[in-house]
Amino acid sequence: ELSLSRTALRALAEAEKSLEFVTLYGRFALDPEALLSICEQLGTQISFFIEPLSEENLPADLSEQQLELIRDIFARELPVFEIRIFSGDDLIRDLSVEITILLPYRGENQEDAIVWRVEPDGSTVEYPGEQDSELGGVVFQPDHLSVYAIGYRAEEPSQPEEPSQPVEPTPEPES
């Protein structure tokens, strides 16, 4: 968790400075436009969280469909995180701009890693991610904060090879 005052965020934005900070479980990066947008939407004290989820700490406000999908993701041993911003005690989900988030991921197929937002109806929204091998994670830009999973796109099935010999047509039976 990181808590900052709106005054500090506004001062950075007005000086056209970006803010990047690392939490225990990820990284936030906010450009001046994002800082101003957050300042306009939120109260005086703003807190940022990235928290890995497990069966033991699932948020109480998840729908049954979200829980079912998240448990399926856990069964595949893929990481799931909740990303939150609070204005005082109010949870903020929708942002009017994109922010940059890095979530840690050192699993298989890192170069093919993608990020999904888990929707209340159990569907997902895919976010293009970029592997940051130096920091060991996947960087993406959400405009909505929620529960996110990291996975990878399975290899596309290969096309069957063309036969090396021409195939002779089968003669039609004579009548």
Side-chain angles (χ1 to χ4, degrees):
E1 169 192 1
L2 175 69
S3 294
L4 298 166
S5 71
R6 182 170 62 181
T7 306
L9 293 178
R10 184 173 299 283
L12 285 170
E14 289 172 351
E16 296 189 15
K17 302 282 184 186
S18 296
L19 174 65
E20 185 173 317
F21 55 93
V22 178
T23 69
L24 188 57
Y25 299 109
R27 181 183 74 187
F28 286 89
L30 308 164
D31 64 21
E33 181 185 2
L35 290 169
L36 275 178
S37 176
I38 289 170
C39 288
E40 291 168 4
Q41 294 181 58
L42 306 178
T44 58
Q45 192 67 23
I46 302 159
S47 301
F48 300 84
F49 294 86
I50 296 176
E51 181 177 12
L53 296 180
S54 67
E55 281 289 343
E56 292 77 37
N57 71 337
L58 290 171
D61 62 346
L62 295 178
S63 70
E64 285 301 316
Q65 293 90 342
Q66 282 175 306
L67 289 171
E68 185 177 327
L69 179 58
I70 290 169
R71 287 186 176 115
D72 179 58
I73 293 167
F74 287 158
R76 292 188 280 157
E77 299 182 0
L78 297 172
V80 179
F81 297 86
E82 184 175 27
I83 302 170
R84 299 172 288 172
I85 295 179
F86 282 93
S87 173
D89 292 333
D90 297 327
L91 178 60
I92 307 303
R93 292 273 187 211
D94 291 307
L95 304 171
S96 62
V97 296
E98 293 179 343
I99 62 174
T100 301
I101 303 284
L102 175 130
L103 295 176
Y105 181 65
R106 293 189 186 276
E108 293 180 28
N109 301 314
Q110 289 182 14
E111 61 280 351
D112 296 323
I114 54 175
V115 180
W116 296 287
R117 183 175 75 217
V118 179
E119 294 290 286
D121 66 1
S123 66
T124 60
V125 174
E126 185 176 317
Y127 284 81
E130 182 179 314
Q131 182 66 33
D132 186 326
S133 55
E134 183 180 317
L135 294 174
V138 178
V139 177
F140 68 108
Q141 295 183 308
D143 61 356
H144 179 87
L145 303 179
S146 185
V147 174
Y148 288 86
I150 301 174
Y152 54 90
R153 189 174 316 287
E155 279 188 26
E156 295 292 324
S158 60
Q159 296 295 321
E161 290 185 27
E162 293 292 320
S164 57
Q165 298 290 328
V167 177
E168 297 292 325
T170 307
E172 290 191 26
E174 294 181 23
S175 341

